[in-house]
Amino acid sequence: MLDAIRLGPSDDATAVTATQLREVVTRLVHAGQWRPGDADILVVMDTGYDVTHLAYVLADLPVELVGRLRSDRVMLRDAGPRRSTPRGGQPRKHGGVLTFSKPESWHTPDQATTCDTTRYGTAQALAWDRMHPRLQARGPWLDHCGELPLIHGTLIRLNVAHLPGDRDPKPVWLWSWRTGMTGADVDLRWQAFLRRFDLEHTFRLFKQTLGWTVPKVRDPHTAELLDDPTLIARYRAAMDGQAVGRMVPSLPYIDTVPVDGGLRVRLTTTRAVLNVGEDAVTLSAVGAVYEFAREAEAVLRPLVDGRTMDLAALADTAGLVLEDVVGLVQELVAGQAAVVGSLL
């Protein structure tokens, strides 16, 4: 993972990013994570990065950059082989223009693939080989000496059937400095981009929901605790156990629950957590923890599953006498974790 750097007023984001990438790739090579003969390290980035300039300044590294482009961009075709004209002059540097927002400007793609995905439905990708942007002497190219280069790459347009949550998707445009791609190469690049998207939202979960930017880890043992693979599951269980229930008064049975098998009971929360041990079971609900004998699992399980049950049915299922079931339910009602009534 790259070290986070706070940009100063005079810092150039592209130059800082190039330095970060060079440092991390150098560390990977020194650590033996990349060796001569291995495939290039795939670096995937979202919009906001000048992927063309980064590809130029990092051309000496074993990396391939894939970056997302804005939908209002244009790309230029290769001018093709040089040819002389009767009028002479400089040969053409650029070919035809491909405007992302104007399908009529698109020429026949060099690759077209279609495949099914689990999260996004059918994904269709079009790829045009040897496409380059028209560079201008500004921004990171302002201090470039000599003629601005032509940086060819592969332009990919990805369109999926739907997004999670049934949102309408917009096409995604990607550019890689790799040329001569096959259909499988194209699929690998856009799949890597979608994978980057999932990872980005995972880090957002860590930061915004789990608050992992708050702890100041100063001890290796503390870091090991954060690396526990069960941490998220335990965190969710703890949050579920503290979730406030739907406060429904158990009228008229506020103080005591009568021994009446026809009464019905349900929990006031749908996020209760039941933990079963060797000798006891614990129920975490509405911010409290209740501990019962092991036999109480058969009583609590259908309630935790969200079912409304007759007291008599619970007693029969658990093989307990009705009085014991009523005593258990009375404790939950007193803690506002359950409600009883004849019309539930």
Side-chain angles (χ1 to χ4, degrees):
M1 187 186 303
L2 298 180
D3 297 328
I5 296 178
R6 186 180 298 276
L7 296 177
S10 60
D11 290 335
D12 180 80
T14 302
V16 172
T17 303
T19 301
Q20 287 181 293
L21 289 174
R22 184 173 294 278
E23 290 176 352
V24 73
V25 171
T26 301
R27 291 199 297 266
L28 290 174
V29 173
H30 288 168
Q33 298 298 314
W34 183 91
R35 295 181 175 87
D38 292 346
D40 286 346
I41 301 170
L42 196 61
V43 178
V44 186
M45 54 189 62
D46 207 349
T47 52
Y49 294 93
D50 191 337
V51 62
T52 308
H53 188 267
L54 290 173
Y56 178 77
V57 298
L58 300 177
D60 59 315
L61 296 179
V63 296
E64 177 189 345
L65 302 183
V66 178
R68 182 178 182 179
L69 305 178
R70 299 193 314 269
S71 59
D72 59 352
R73 292 282 300 273
V74 299
M75 279 280 177
L76 303 171
R77 300 173 64 178
D78 191 0
R82 295 192 175 189
R83 54 187 179 183
S84 60
T85 63
R87 292 182 295 178
Q90 292 290 333
R92 291 192 311 160
K93 294 180 58 178
H94 309 292
V97 177
L98 187 151
T99 303
F100 294 0
S101 60
K102 296 181 179 180
E104 62 272 15
S105 69
W106 306 350
H107 57 282
T108 303
D110 296 284
Q111 298 291 340
T113 66
T114 301
C115 64
D116 294 327
T117 66
T118 56
R119 297 191 62 191
Y120 305 99
T122 302
Q124 297 177 329
L126 304 177
W128 292 269
D129 195 23
R130 296 189 63 79
M131 302 295 293
H132 65 272
R134 188 192 302 271
L135 302 181
Q136 297 181 356
R138 63 185 183 187
W141 299 102
L142 183 61
D143 298 326
H144 181 79
C145 297
E147 185 178 5
L148 293 176
L150 292 179
I151 305 177
H152 295 291
T154 300
L155 178 66
I156 301 172
R157 180 184 186 270
L158 173 65
N159 193 29
V160 297
H162 59 79
L163 297 176
D166 292 330
R167 293 174 294 159
D168 293 331
K170 295 182 179 180
V172 174
W173 292 88
L174 306 173
W175 184 87
S176 167
W177 70 356
R178 181 74 60 195
T179 58
M181 288 190 186
T182 65
D185 295 332
V186 172
D187 287 342
L188 176 62
R189 271 65 183 178
W190 66 255
Q191 289 168 359
F193 175 81
L194 294 184
R195 179 60 174 165
R196 179 215 61 83
F197 184 82
D198 294 338
L199 291 174
E200 180 179 284
H201 281 263
T202 300
F203 283 113
R204 179 179 296 180
L205 167 70
F206 291 162
K207 294 178 180 179
Q208 298 182 359
T209 304
L210 302 185
W212 281 16
T213 57
V214 177
K216 306 299 182 183
V217 181
R218 303 181 184 277
D219 183 83
H221 179 64
T222 305
E224 292 176 358
L225 293 177
L226 291 176
D227 197 37
D228 184 355
T230 66
L231 178 62
I232 294 180
R234 291 190 290 109
Y235 170 81
R236 290 185 58 187
M239 294 300 294
D240 287 343
Q242 296 175 11
V244 177
R246 184 179 180 184
M247 298 305 177
V248 180
S250 187
L251 298 175
Y253 312 110
I254 298 177
D255 297 326
T256 59
V257 176
V259 182
D260 182 354
L263 289 178
R264 297 171 64 79
V265 58
R266 71 165 183 261
L267 297 184
T268 60
T269 176
T270 59
R271 297 176 60 182
V273 179
L274 182 64
N275 292 313
V276 180
E278 294 183 0
D279 302 321
V281 294
T282 57
L283 175 71
S284 300
V286 296
V289 178
Y290 304 88
E291 184 172 343
F292 302 102
R294 183 67 171 77
E295 293 76 13
E297 179 189 2
V299 177
L300 297 172
R301 180 66 65 185
L303 299 178
V304 172
D305 291 340
R307 298 165 59 186
T308 301
M309 299 290 295
D310 294 335
L311 294 180
L314 288 176
D316 292 340
T317 301
L320 300 174
V321 297
L322 183 59
E323 288 78 4
D324 291 341
V325 174
V326 170
L328 183 153
V329 171
Q330 173 63 54
E331 186 173 349
L332 298 180
V333 170
Q336 296 185 332
V339 59
V340 297
S342 57
L343 300 177
L344 295 180

